[in-house]
Amino acid sequence: MMISVCFVCLGNICRSPMAELIFTEMVKERGLASRFNISSFGTDDCEVGNPIYGAALRELKEHGITGAHRAQQLSLRDVINNDYILVMDTANLNDVLRLTGGRFCEKIHRLCSFTDRPRDVSDPWYTRNFEKAYEDIYEGCLCFLNKLLSDKRAALGGTRL
Ligand code: 4NP
């Protein structure tokens, strides 16, 4: 069974493409790459077509992660087509719920709501702290994946953590 996960932020040039690449690496390391369809989107169209922001790319590289992405705007179709819509912060959550008219809320979550300290991902666009954003995103991805694996172990064919 394929699990579709999309990460969502405002511009789709910093946080959500970082999350896409971090989560892709995480599932690859566990031999689960073929089980997942992973993507990312922005709620806004302001950066559509633009590559990952330089400082975000550098932060990823420091952690051994490389990759490329072009910003794309989230549509209702994308919400329908994904099993999990993981947003970075409360503003993103409100924007996505506005897009869906409040529907599909059961599959829309803040990424760091899966941690034992539920919070927004620190926004590096304003803090300029890309390391902090990386740490928040990494922790959120790890906690999400662990929860998913314990919930879906049967569907994933008994794969262990
Ligand atoms: P992102 O970062 O949502 O993490 O991709 C931002 C990108 C662009 C803007 C804000 C945040 N902006 O205001 O243009």
Side-chain angles (χ1 to χ4, degrees), residues 8-17 42 46-47 53 88-89 92 123-126:
V8 175
C9 63
L10 178 72
N12 194 214
I13 58 168
C14 295
R15 295 163 294 172
S16 63
C46 60
E47 300 286 352
Y53 191 67
M88 300 299 122
D89 64 25
N92 305 150
D123 188 347
W125 193 259
Y126 299 103

Side-chain angles (χ1 to χ4, degrees), residues 8-54:
V8 175
C9 63
L10 178 72
N12 194 214
I13 58 168
C14 295
R15 295 163 294 172
S16 63
M18 287 175 80
E20 178 183 339
L21 295 181
I22 289 167
F23 192 69
T24 297
E25 179 63 24
M26 202 173 273
V27 300
K28 208 161 98 186
E29 281 170 2
R30 297 190 188 207
L32 297 170
S34 66
R35 312 282 192 163
F36 286 91
N37 181 22
I38 305 165
S39 59
S40 68
F41 299 87
T43 55
D44 203 285
D45 65 1
C46 60
E47 300 286 352
V48 166
N50 289 339
I52 300 174
Y53 191 67

Side-chain angles (χ1 to χ4, degrees), residues 71-146:
Q72 48 186 354
Q73 187 180 22
L74 185 74
S75 71
L76 184 58
R77 176 70 32 203
D78 302 313
V79 175
I80 291 167
N81 286 342
N82 279 276
D83 301 309
Y84 294 93
I85 293 86
L86 302 180
V87 305
M88 300 299 122
D89 64 25
T90 306
N92 305 150
L93 183 63
N94 291 335
D95 287 341
V96 175
L97 288 173
R98 192 171 308 117
L99 176 72
T100 67
R103 289 174 294 157
F104 309 110
C105 59
E106 67 286 349
K107 59 178 177 174
I108 307 167
H109 307 274
R110 281 190 309 164
L111 179 60
C112 283
S113 70
F114 296 96
T115 72
D116 52 20
R117 193 164 60 85
R119 61 194 189 274
D120 288 349
V121 167
S122 172
D123 188 347
W125 193 259
Y126 299 103
T127 65
R128 310 313 298 172
N129 190 339
F130 286 81
E131 189 178 357
K132 178 79 162 32
Y134 181 94
E135 298 303 336
D136 283 350
I137 293 165
Y138 184 89
E139 186 188 347
C141 285
L142 189 60
C143 292
F144 168 68
L145 181 58
N146 284 338

